[in-house]
């Protein structure tokens, strides 16, 4: 599926071709901290299927408990996360689904790191819903 995305302020924009079957939720504590939320929804895209149209993301290198390093990119103006990848010679980018224009068409197919999930994030159906603020 071809998708387009951008940061919140519009300084960074891009397009990619992705496999909708690879969309996933990550409940790891790094994703919780880096999103400021209970989990992150992302999808891997081969490097050759990603095209940056506008802007230059800032890079933050995160070292995991395992010692592996990941490059996390974000807009230097508004802070919107764009993607992550290996630091050296990335072959793919993990795009942040919330920044994609087609996010409604990209439901997650699996959840990872569920042992780190905050308990309330696993079932939100019983929480009252409002259609606006």
């Amino acid at each position: 599926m071809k998708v387009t995305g951008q940061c919140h302020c519009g300084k960074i924009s891009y397009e990619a071709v992705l496999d909708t079957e690879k969309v996933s939720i990550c409940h790891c504590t790094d994703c919780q901290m880096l999103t400021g939320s209970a989990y992150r929804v992302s999808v891997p895209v081969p490097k050759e299927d990603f095209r940056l149209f506008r802007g230059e993301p800032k890079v933050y290198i995160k070292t995991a408990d395992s010692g592996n390093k990941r490059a996390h990119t974000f807009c230097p103006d508004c802070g919107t996360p764009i993607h992550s990848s290996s630091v050296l010679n990335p072959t793919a980018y993990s795009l942040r689904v919330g920044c994609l224009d087609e996010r409604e068409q990209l439901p997650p197919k699996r959840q990872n790191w569920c042992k780190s999930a905050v308990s309330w994030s696993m079932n939100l159906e019983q929480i009252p819903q409002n259609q606006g603020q």
Side-chain angles (χ1 to χ4, degrees):
M1 170 184 211
K2 186 174 183 179
V3 297
T4 56
Q6 67 177 5
C7 65
H8 192 261
C9 71
K11 184 174 184 175
I12 296 173
S13 68
Y14 52 91
E15 74 176 13
V17 177
L18 56 81
D19 181 348
T20 60
E21 294 299 310
K22 294 186 177 181
V23 178
S24 65
I25 291 174
C26 184
H27 292 278
C28 79
T29 54
D30 282 347
C31 283
Q32 292 173 17
M33 291 292 292
L34 289 166
T35 62
S37 187
Y39 52 82
R40 179 191 313 268
V41 183
S42 58
V43 60
V45 172
K47 181 179 180 178
E48 61 272 11
D49 292 335
F50 177 82
R51 182 171 165 215
L52 187 65
F53 285 134
R54 182 175 59 242
E56 187 62 37
K58 185 169 173 66
V59 179
Y60 166 68
I61 306 297
K62 167 65 173 103
T63 303
D65 292 339
S66 65
N68 291 335
K69 295 181 185 301
R70 294 283 291 168
H72 293 265
T73 65
F74 58 95
C75 175
D77 285 357
C78 68
T80 301
I82 306 299
H83 62 60
S84 68
S85 67
S86 60
V87 174
L88 300 173
N89 302 315
T91 59
Y93 298 116
S94 180
L95 298 185
R96 306 331 189 187
V97 170
C99 299
L100 300 176
D101 297 325
E102 299 79 8
R103 61 187 164 268
E104 176 66 28
Q105 301 166 45
L106 298 167
K109 303 296 184 181
R110 69 187 145 280
Q111 299 183 66
N112 300 315
W113 285 97
C114 292
K115 70 180 182 179
S116 304
V118 291
S119 60
W120 56 261
S121 71
M122 302 305 279
N123 185 353
L124 303 176
E125 292 177 357
Q126 299 304 315
I127 299 173
Q129 298 179 6
N130 297 315
Q131 298 306 310
Q133 194 176 19

